[in-house]
Amino acid sequence: MTPLVTIRDLDKSFPGVKALKKARFELFPGEVHALMGENGAGKSTLMKVLAGIYQKDSGDILIEGRPADIRSPRAAKDLGISIIHQELNLMNELTAAQNIFIGREPKRAMGLLLDEGALNRAAADIFSRMNLTLDPRAEVGELTVAMQQMVEIAKALSFKSRVLIMDEPTAALNKAEIAELFGIIRQLKAEGVGIVYISHKMDELKEISDRVTVMRDGEYVDTVPTESTSVDAIISMMVGRSLTETKTDVPDLSSHDVVLEVRNLRRSNAIQDVSFKLRKGEILGFAGLMGAGRTEVARAIFGADPLDGGDIIVRGQPVTIRSPQDAVRLGIGYLSEDRKRYGLATGMDVAANIVMPCLRKFLSLNMVLRARAIREAARSYIKQLRIKTPSDAQEVRFLSGGNQQKIVIAKWLARDCEILFFDEPTRGIDVGAKNEIYKLLNTLATQGRAIVMISSELPEILRMSHRIAVMCEGRLTGELPADGATQEDIMRLATRRHSLMADSSNAAIGGSTT
């Protein structure tokens, strides 16, 4: 069988970075081919070259055995190649059908008017092919993220795509939505569409892919059959080393000072009588299902969202936090789950991002920035956190997700925040970068920082936490010591509705805080 796509000896460089070195890849019709590697390994760059977003420096791309020179996304689409990015590219004010056919709308009245009926019928035909129940007239901004992703897939199919590239397609989906997505992928596979699947979630790859190609440092490592290759073997190929996942004995921190206490926080139905304590040097894991209210609690404490009631006590003193500026002055930092939107100025360089929260420290006579001091401070954190960047002058948007996350951490360390909220700190980054973030969090805790870590990954919660607080429907339903806790224990509390939890939860939260 002739491959749909063959990539040979492909090179691509950016200023100061050799992104791809003799990269290789192959995709057959009706195949789900997983592309894996640490952040910065080159997998997204390779696919962007295939999709015409970047142009190769050298090497060969063959489509069905014929050489192809893909100079633009339009050229890629003409060859039947579509890419669905992790950040969806839709217009919220338009309908699903309008997004699918934007710029290619059917016309009537001698081409003078849009034919909305034909437009909606064409979109409905694609949805029917996908076995998807969705009104073509639905406004995209009103759809769930999962449904928006289905619209992106429908848009790709409208171009008669034979090659579909999916970059972290399940990052914002729950289990039911993932199952629905996988059903559509299997149907497309049966129709002969070749799918490149980029993800860091090993369980998903085992379920959906046929083969796995691993890249490291911009180079091809190997291609292996998914079914007969162990997860450990894939990880070892990705990072070039074995990663230990064992949890050390959990220390008893009950004698440490309480640096943050919240009592009976309330905000409509999102936060209902939430109380907890956080001690110096502690990592308090916050677990729960999507919509449980974990992020809402963090944002409210940080002053990003208003509270209806409750008390916040920092280092024994009651405080009023009306804005993030108030929180930062009290030594509280918040690392959002959406680092690109809320945590970074991606068009600015590394140094500027690191010192942004504490620029006043670098002013002479309160007027002139001391550029040399800024560079020295930035380089210190680059070294301390092992941020991989050509220099402190590199624009942040060119760095990998793991290194971007380290920059967000660096900026709060530069601001000397003692209390840190990490919201999904490893979302969208690979196992190697995850391991470095884990080590960094443990180091910060050892240095005396107090950390609240919100995570949807239960193995991560169990590995990293000293204590685990579990939420359901805006309430804390229980607290567990990490030593001896299981995923089943957490899920039991994460699905416990408020009518079942009041007395036991209050006793747990108000009692011993190991």
Side-chain angles (χ1 to χ4, degrees):
M1 183 188 299
T2 303
L4 272 176
V5 175
T6 304
I7 298 175
R8 296 189 301 229
D9 298 329
L10 199 135
D11 287 355
K12 176 64 181 175
S13 294
F14 298 102
V17 178
K18 181 81 169 177
L20 297 174
K21 294 168 279 189
K22 304 294 181 186
R24 295 162 48 194
F25 187 75
E26 192 177 59
L27 177 69
F28 284 95
E31 177 185 34
V32 179
H33 195 144
L35 183 58
M36 299 198 69
E38 295 189 74
N39 280 85
K43 54 192 185 298
S44 291
T45 301
L46 183 64
M47 289 300 105
K48 285 179 179 178
V49 170
L50 179 60
I53 298 166
Y54 298 151
Q55 279 69 58
K56 62 185 173 68
D57 296 335
S58 61
D60 299 308
I61 299 176
L62 284 73
I63 304 299
E64 294 187 319
R66 293 185 292 274
D69 189 12
I70 307 174
R71 294 185 175 273
S72 68
R74 171 59 65 184
K77 283 185 168 62
D78 290 343
L79 288 166
I81 301 166
S82 290
I83 184 168
I84 299 172
H85 299 278
Q86 188 174 353
E87 292 86 13
L88 300 180
N89 188 25
L90 297 170
M91 298 184 186
N92 289 340
E93 298 79 13
L94 301 183
T95 68
Q98 289 166 347
N99 268 280
I100 291 170
F101 292 103
I102 191 164
R104 303 174 293 135
E105 299 88 348
K107 305 284 180 64
R108 60 187 174 86
M110 299 179 65
L112 298 176
L113 299 174
L114 294 180
D115 191 340
E116 289 286 343
L119 180 77
N120 292 328
R121 286 192 297 273
D125 287 344
I126 297 174
F127 294 154
S128 176
R129 174 186 169 190
M130 295 168 65
N131 288 325
L132 182 64
T133 303
L134 177 61
D135 186 349
R137 298 164 297 179
E139 196 170 292
V140 161
E142 301 299 318
L143 300 178
T144 64
V145 172
M147 282 295 111
Q148 289 178 1
Q149 197 148 46
M150 301 306 178
V151 173
E152 283 275 28
I153 294 173
K155 186 175 181 179
L157 295 180
S158 75
F159 286 97
K160 312 237 182 302
S161 298
R162 297 171 296 164
V163 176
L164 189 58
I165 303 163
M166 309 182 87
D167 193 354
E168 297 287 353
T170 64
L173 306 187
N174 61 34
K175 284 188 175 181
E177 292 165 340
I178 291 170
E180 189 170 1
L181 174 65
F182 281 6
I184 289 173
I185 289 174
R186 291 188 180 100
Q187 184 172 335
L188 295 176
K189 175 181 171 180
E191 294 175 8
V193 176
I195 297 170
V196 184
Y197 193 94
I198 302 174
S199 177
H200 297 117
K201 298 179 180 179
M202 295 290 179
D203 55 335
E204 291 181 6
L205 299 179
K206 277 290 186 180
E207 181 178 348
I208 200 66
S209 71
D210 300 298
R211 290 192 296 164
V212 178
T213 286
V214 177
M215 295 182 69
R216 186 170 67 242
D217 298 327
E219 298 183 82
Y220 172 85
V221 176
D222 200 1
T223 299
V224 294
T226 306
E227 187 175 2
S228 60
T229 307
S230 70
V231 168
D232 286 345
I234 294 171
I235 292 175
S236 181
M237 284 190 286
M238 286 172 60
V239 300
R241 61 191 185 278
S242 60
L243 297 178
T244 57
E245 296 290 332
T246 55
K247 182 179 178 69
T248 56
D249 292 337
V250 181
D252 181 1
L253 303 179
S254 57
S255 62
H256 287 209
D257 293 339
V258 175
V259 294
L260 173 68
E261 182 178 0
V262 300
R263 299 174 185 165
N264 307 116
L265 291 191
R266 300 184 306 281
R267 181 171 179 262
S268 64
N269 291 325
I271 306 172
Q272 302 182 55
D273 293 316
V274 169
S275 303
F276 65 89
K277 296 177 181 179
L278 178 67
R279 297 182 180 275
K280 183 175 181 178
E282 178 181 40
I283 299 176
L284 174 62
F286 258 63
L289 301 176
M290 190 176 295
R294 299 164 299 163
T295 293
E296 287 78 1
V297 168
R299 285 178 57 86
I301 294 171
F302 190 62
D305 295 326
L307 281 167
D308 296 334
D311 300 305
I312 301 174
I313 298 102
V314 177
R315 301 177 201 89
Q317 298 297 316
V319 298
T320 300
I321 301 176
R322 293 192 175 92
S323 68
Q325 288 83 356
D326 291 340
V328 172
R329 279 193 289 269
L330 290 164
I332 301 173
Y334 173 55
L335 290 81
S336 166
E337 61 181 324
D338 190 344
R339 59 180 172 265
K340 289 184 179 178
R341 185 175 178 185
Y342 296 116
L344 294 166
T346 56
M348 298 177 70
D349 64 30
V350 173
N353 273 274
I354 290 175
V355 303
M356 199 175 295
C358 54
L359 273 177
R360 289 184 181 275
K361 288 168 47 175
F362 299 96
L363 286 175
S364 294
L365 303 175
N366 285 326
M367 292 192 311
V368 182
L369 283 173
R370 294 182 290 123
R372 184 174 178 180
I374 288 174
R375 299 295 179 195
E376 288 176 354
R379 288 166 187 166
S380 172
Y381 285 108
I382 288 169
K383 182 178 180 181
Q384 180 183 333
L385 304 187
R386 297 198 296 174
I387 299 170
K388 293 179 182 176
T389 175
S391 76
D392 58 272
Q394 175 74 293
E395 284 187 31
V396 167
R397 65 194 174 99
F398 291 122
L399 301 184
S400 68
N403 286 301
Q404 288 179 351
Q405 190 73 303
K406 289 182 182 181
I407 291 168
V408 181
I409 297 171
K411 80 175 189 179
W412 292 122
L413 296 183
R415 190 60 176 78
D416 201 26
C417 289
E418 181 185 357
I419 300 165
L420 294 166
F421 284 82
F422 285 76
D423 197 347
E424 301 288 358
T426 65
R427 173 171 287 172
I429 64 177
D430 59 79
V431 289
K434 277 185 180 183
N435 210 48
E436 291 195 9
I437 296 293
Y438 295 155
K439 288 178 181 177
L440 181 54
L441 264 63
N442 281 324
T443 299
L444 294 175
T446 302
Q447 293 171 352
R449 316 264 180 175
I451 295 170
V452 173
M453 187 188 74
I454 300 167
S455 176
S456 299
E457 296 188 27
L458 297 187
E460 182 169 271
I461 285 281
L462 289 167
R463 174 182 176 177
M464 293 300 300
S465 307
H466 297 103
R467 282 184 301 132
I468 301 167
V470 188
M471 293 190 68
C472 177
E473 296 183 347
R475 296 177 183 265
L476 272 172
T477 51
E479 181 184 301
L480 300 165
D483 193 8
T486 66
Q487 294 191 36
E488 289 77 13
D489 295 333
I490 296 173
M491 287 305 298
R492 199 172 296 119
L493 291 172
T495 54
R496 178 184 291 181
R497 302 176 69 86
H498 65 273
S499 59
L500 302 176
M501 53 65 64
D503 293 339
S504 61
S505 175
N506 289 339
I509 301 299
S512 172
T513 54
T514 303

